[in-house]
Amino acid sequence: MAVNRTPLIAGNWKMNLDHLQSIAFVQKLAWALKDAKHDYASTEVAVFPPYTDLRSVQTLVTADKLDLRYGGQDLSQHDSGAYTGEISGAFLAALDCAYVIIGHSERRQYHAETDEIVASKTVAALRHGLVPVVCVGETAEDLEQHGPSAVPVAQLAVVLAALDADADIVVAYEPVWAIGSGQAATPEQAQQVCAALRASIAEHLGEAAAERTRILYGGSVKAANIAGFMAQRDIDGALVGGASLDVDGFASIARFRQHVGTV
Ligand code: PGA
């Protein structure tokens, strides 16, 4: 984590919590962080609920003037039209989403999202004023065959080639073998890949973009291991799946500064 980048702790709920549950969850999370006197300016906190929850979350965040950010878990690369089941970035922007996750490994695996689709979704997000959280990561087989950074760097390169130097994106490095497995990467492994991703951003978009862009680690992050990741120079936050569904656990991850040096 570098001083000039504001850390982002992001909770990817995946297909969990309906709109009623989302209201209770966000209320509790906001209380837990308020109790802990959380400073949102020093660590941003965002949740990524299912689409059907977003209106409820927006209403709560607006009514209670919460500093929590939120976003969608995917979007269409198209803006409107005959794309049954798809959600336009314009709709997410209309619900005041700040972010949208793009190219999560589950989208790549179960919905055949290629690097090219991920790139055009990233461009679509930017077109609608959303900050894309672009996910990259290697499978266990990729790791064995190509080493740790080749695949995520190649995945990101396709996206970067489609962007302008001033594009505001977040990158999430999520080794597929670490997602939901309880087997997180070590902080050193994650740092190595995040440094390679940052170097690739510098190469494609320039030094200023590389310095500014936040790179998150994701894959079995929990309160007990967040501090180790946040101590790394090129890791600026976390994309949290399973552990983001527990209010106290997620609040504790967002409060990582309290445990740096204790883990
Ligand atoms: P996990 O998921 O924290 O449950 O490993 C991370 C993710 O898929 O974003």
Side-chain angles (χ1 to χ4, degrees):
M1 180 181 73
V3 281
N4 52 345
R5 296 187 290 268
T6 306
L8 170 62
I9 301 297
N12 173 13
W13 293 3
K14 308 191 179 184
M15 199 171 70
N16 294 290
L17 307 181
D18 66 24
H19 75 289
L20 295 174
Q21 292 168 318
S22 79
I23 295 170
F25 186 97
V26 169
Q27 251 162 357
K28 281 188 205 148
L29 179 61
W31 287 331
L33 290 171
K34 192 172 180 200
D35 273 355
K37 300 194 172 23
H38 183 70
D39 176 14
Y40 289 89
S42 71
T43 302
E44 243 187 276
V45 183
V47 294
F48 293 80
Y51 290 135
T52 49
D53 300 5
L54 286 172
R55 175 65 170 150
S56 307
V57 170
Q58 180 203 26
T59 303
L60 177 59
V61 164
T62 310
D64 289 4
K65 298 190 174 56
L66 304 180
D67 291 316
L68 277 169
R69 302 287 188 86
Y70 54 89
Q73 298 175 11
D74 183 31
L75 87 174
S76 172
Q77 65 266 50
H78 308 290
D79 293 344
S80 65
Y83 301 103
T84 301
E86 293 291 281
I87 300 290
S88 167
F91 305 164
L92 298 179
L95 291 175
D96 298 330
C97 286
Y99 296 101
V100 58
I101 296 173
I102 297 177
H104 189 277
S105 72
E106 287 147 20
R107 301 290 318 171
R108 293 176 186 263
Q109 185 182 351
Y110 305 131
H111 302 274
E113 289 196 8
T114 61
D115 292 335
E116 289 69 27
I117 293 174
V118 172
S120 69
K121 288 187 171 192
T122 303
V123 172
L126 292 168
R127 197 161 59 231
H128 294 290
L130 302 161
V131 175
V133 179
V134 180
C135 302
V136 295
E138 81 288 358
T139 63
E141 297 80 64
D142 293 334
L143 183 62
E144 210 166 283
Q145 282 181 25
H146 309 286
S149 47
V151 167
V153 166
Q155 289 173 334
L156 186 62
V158 178
V159 174
L160 296 175
L163 303 183
D164 296 330
D166 63 354
D168 188 11
I169 67 166
V170 172
V171 174
Y173 167 54
E174 297 206 301
V176 180
W177 47 268
I179 295 176
S181 65
Q183 194 75 54
T186 65
E188 295 73 24
Q189 275 176 317
Q191 161 60 26
Q192 189 191 342
V193 179
C194 292
L197 293 168
R198 195 175 303 286
S200 178
I201 297 171
E203 212 176 285
H204 286 84
L205 304 182
E207 276 301 331
E211 266 308 302
R212 176 183 78 233
T213 301
R214 289 175 294 179
I215 304 181
L216 316 182
Y217 167 76
S220 297
V221 169
K222 50 189 178 181
N225 64 17
I226 184 66
F229 293 110
M230 296 309 294
Q232 305 299 316
R233 203 205 165 285
D234 289 292
I235 300 181
D236 307 308
L239 184 53
V240 186
S244 77
L245 297 171
D246 174 67
V247 171
D248 294 329
F250 187 59
S252 173
I253 293 170
R255 305 286 302 144
F256 70 89
R257 288 177 202 277
Q258 305 307 114
H259 23 143
V260 167
T262 63
V263 181

